[in-house]
Amino acid sequence: PVKRYATACLFWKNMRSRCLCPTDPYYFRYGGRGIKICPQWDDFAVFRSDMGTRPRGMMIERKDTDGNYCPNNCIWATQKQQNRNRSDTLWVEINGERKSLAEWCEYYRSNYALVRERVSRQRWPALEALTTPKMARVKGFIGGWVRRA
């Protein structure tokens, strides 16, 4: 309990530094972009009361990456969840369901780098990019590609 309190306090201090201190190396991603902290969270006790005890392995996460640090926009999240909720996350809608490309790749068991290349640079439709098998060059077949069996 004491250690979790101390680490929650560290997360709170780091959050404040990113948003309020121009000399913080990450200020440009937070305070420099206009991300603010709600006034009641100037008090660590209020922050801890709003957020609850920090679960092991979790970090503070803003659900809306352009939104401020406040009770209705913050949760404790795993690193995996945070990686999927970045300002550069590629969001894809398939059959009315919106997920990050990484989540769709996991669902379809597709290679993320390949699918991202197809969708972002080659402009493939998302579902086709996710479900088309990787192409492989066949030895002895000059100038062509075939689908891997």
Side-chain angles (χ1 to χ4, degrees):
V2 173
K3 186 175 182 181
R4 285 206 192 148
Y5 178 89
T7 55
C9 189
L10 182 62
F11 280 101
W12 175 78
K13 286 180 179 179
N14 288 339
M15 169 191 71
R16 294 179 55 75
S17 180
R18 290 190 300 267
C19 292
L20 304 172
C21 183
T23 59
D24 185 287
Y26 298 105
Y27 178 82
F28 74 99
R29 291 185 183 159
Y30 297 88
R33 288 197 313 120
I35 305 300
K36 296 180 178 21
I37 303 168
C38 64
Q40 65 263 34
W41 280 7
D42 286 343
D43 181 345
F44 174 69
V46 175
F47 168 80
R48 189 162 189 269
S49 173
D50 288 344
M51 289 297 293
T53 304
R54 183 187 73 88
R56 186 179 310 274
M58 302 281 209
M59 295 163 265
I60 192 164
E61 164 83 341
R62 287 173 298 120
K63 294 182 271 187
D64 173 3
T65 58
D66 292 323
N68 295 327
Y69 283 100
C70 54
N72 64 345
N73 192 40
C74 291
I75 57 171
W76 293 113
T78 64
Q79 185 66 52
K80 185 176 183 178
Q81 288 170 309
Q82 285 199 329
N83 288 343
R84 291 180 174 178
N85 187 33
R86 296 167 35 127
S87 57
D88 63 350
T89 296
L90 183 58
W91 294 97
V92 175
E93 188 172 313
I94 297 175
N95 297 326
E97 190 173 355
R98 184 177 185 262
K99 294 182 183 184
S100 70
L101 184 62
E103 289 173 293
W104 283 119
C105 286
E106 206 170 78
Y107 178 80
Y108 283 99
R109 296 183 177 167
S110 300
N111 177 285
Y112 176 79
L114 173 67
V115 174
R116 178 139 187 146
E117 168 75 16
R118 287 173 171 176
V119 170
S120 297
R121 299 182 86 193
Q122 298 175 16
R123 304 285 186 225
W124 285 35
L127 188 57
E128 186 179 343
L130 285 157
T131 57
T132 301
K134 184 176 181 178
M135 306 296 258
R137 209 177 264 288
V138 175
K139 195 171 187 173
F141 184 72
I142 298 173
W145 294 87
V146 295
R147 293 194 191 282
R148 194 180 271 180

